[in-house]
Amino acid sequence: MAFVRSTDSLRLDPRLTWIARARPLLRRLAAHAGTHPDPVRFIGGCVRNALIDQPVQDVDIATILPPQEVLAVGEAMGIKTHPIGLAHGTVTVVLDGTNYEVTTLRRDIATDGRHAQVAFTDDWQEDARRRDFTFNALSANDRGAVFDPFDGIADLRAGIVRFIGDPKQRIEEDYLRMLRFFRFLALFGQVPPDPKVLTIIRRAASNLARLAPERVAYELLRLLAAPDPVPALIAAQETGLDVLGFAGDHASLARLIALPHEPDPLLRLGALLPVREAESHDPGMMAETLASRLRLSRRQTGRLRTLAFYKTMTWQAQEIQGLLLNEGRTAAIDAAAMAGARGGPRDLLTLAQDAPAPPFPLSGDDLTDLGLLPGPIIGQVLDQVREWWTQEGGSPDHAACLNHARALIGDEPDL
């Protein structure tokens, strides 16, 4: 643990980079609040992660100030602000190129499992009670003092994912919390989940279908980014949370995770796609269906379709090298990773990651300089030279490729 105990409270090092960078904003918000003794804090994941030596990515801030006053502070500082969720009290403030979500303390007035109607408050405890898990209610001021209203640090130490208050009520407030439970179980869980909580989730699981697909996709991809999401994903599906629309190839995902590769949620989603080699169907259809179900972006959908195709292939080193030279490193890594997920050679991924990938040295202008007239013949000769260049491992330089083109063209430069 990265925290230390002082004589009176739990503290973070106030010299931490993310604290120091945001301090001017917190100080201006505090000054705007006048004499209030506790007007602004860091909140949630940034505090939680700092306490357990995990990277801090998003820095969220909570304040007693209403959103219009947060906007006024940004204007007074001469920095950009974006009122992304005024009804829910959230303003994005851009300071030195970093986005900070500043949210006014809130209490729930009404919830329906998907949305909450909120009212603003200046009561930190009231705001903390509406959060999901004990360690997500952690907050800290810019001097490093940590506030832990529900013993979230003890739960982090013990590896327990615990709802604040009644789990059934918290889930019924927002059904996405069911999937969030398993995401945090994958990240921090060290003990089996509470069977009573699993029973509650099992009874409520069908309500996941009521949520916006984008929200479900966001949580699923964050779950897949955990160091080892397989046990939590299996546990989620066993409760009836149908996040994929199919069982999922957990064995392939486990093999992919064991490869020397940084966590890539979409790559892991591709590994979960089953391979039905005996069926005569487009291997990308299930990927297309899943992407539509989750409303993935066009770019994500295209990559997922390609991953589904790669997973049906049997890859060898020469083919990975060819893919690296012709399609680029990302494509080669994706293919090699899918090969490893299927139980193929592990060294294919090392090849895709580390092998040199020189650019193809020949262009259409080179061929017109040789006397070829513009037209389809240019592309045909380039394709033939590229195929030879790929077979040679990408080692021939510009001069060698030019000589090979001359040999292909022969004595008829006016083709």
Side-chain angles (χ1 to χ4, degrees), residues 40 57 90 107 158 162 198 256 261 282 306 315 376 386 410 415:
V40 58
Q57 297 174 335
T90 300
R107 59 184 175 85
R162 182 164 61 91
L198 294 181
L256 174 63
H261 187 54
D282 178 358
T306 301
W315 295 94
R386 180 187 284 274
L415 285 176

Side-chain angles (χ1 to χ4, degrees), residues 142-372:
D142 70 328
R143 297 179 300 279
V146 174
F147 304 88
D148 183 9
F150 302 110
D151 293 327
I153 291 171
D155 288 339
L156 276 176
R157 283 174 168 159
I160 296 171
V161 183
R162 182 164 61 91
F163 281 96
I164 296 170
D166 178 14
K168 182 174 182 293
Q169 177 183 341
R170 307 327 306 274
I171 287 171
E172 289 174 348
E173 290 168 351
D174 184 352
Y175 291 116
L176 192 65
R177 287 171 175 165
M178 296 185 291
L179 192 51
R180 285 172 63 82
F181 175 81
F182 291 104
R183 171 161 73 90
F184 288 114
L185 187 68
L187 288 170
F188 307 124
Q190 299 175 35
V191 297
D194 185 346
K196 294 180 181 178
V197 172
L198 294 181
T199 297
I200 293 168
I201 293 175
R202 190 172 291 110
R203 291 171 178 168
S206 62
N207 289 290
L208 194 70
R210 297 175 54 192
L211 301 177
E214 294 88 348
R215 295 185 71 203
V216 175
Y218 178 79
E219 284 299 326
L220 173 61
L221 291 175
R222 295 192 77 179
L223 166 59
L224 290 174
D228 182 7
V230 174
L233 183 63
I234 291 174
Q237 291 180 304
E238 287 177 347
T239 65
L241 285 180
D242 185 17
V243 293
L244 298 174
F246 52 88
D249 186 352
H250 300 118
S252 285
L253 177 56
R255 285 190 289 266
L256 174 63
I257 290 167
L259 295 174
H261 187 54
E262 289 296 315
D264 181 332
L266 201 67
L267 189 63
R268 291 178 171 188
L269 189 61
L272 283 168
L273 291 167
V275 176
R276 299 179 179 178
E277 295 169 309
E279 297 183 10
S280 57
H281 75 298
D282 178 358
M285 284 302 297
M286 185 166 285
E288 192 80 42
T289 300
L290 178 59
S292 176
R293 175 189 180 93
L294 298 174
R295 292 189 189 170
L296 299 181
S297 69
R298 183 178 300 178
R299 184 173 183 177
Q300 289 172 317
T301 300
R303 187 181 177 208
L304 195 63
R305 282 183 60 90
T306 301
L307 288 169
F309 173 71
Y310 285 165
K311 197 178 177 191
T312 67
M313 302 287 288
T314 300
W315 295 94
Q316 303 297 330
Q318 185 176 359
E319 295 165 320
I320 295 296
Q321 180 73 35
L323 201 60
L324 178 66
L325 296 174
N326 290 306
E327 302 294 335
R329 194 170 301 278
T330 297
I333 288 174
D334 282 356
M338 289 299 98
R342 292 284 305 277
R346 293 171 58 94
D347 58 0
L348 292 182
L349 186 56
T350 302
L351 171 67
Q353 291 170 331
D354 299 338
F360 181 53
L362 213 60
S363 70
D365 289 342
D366 293 318
L367 299 187
T368 56
D369 288 344
L370 291 180
L372 283 186

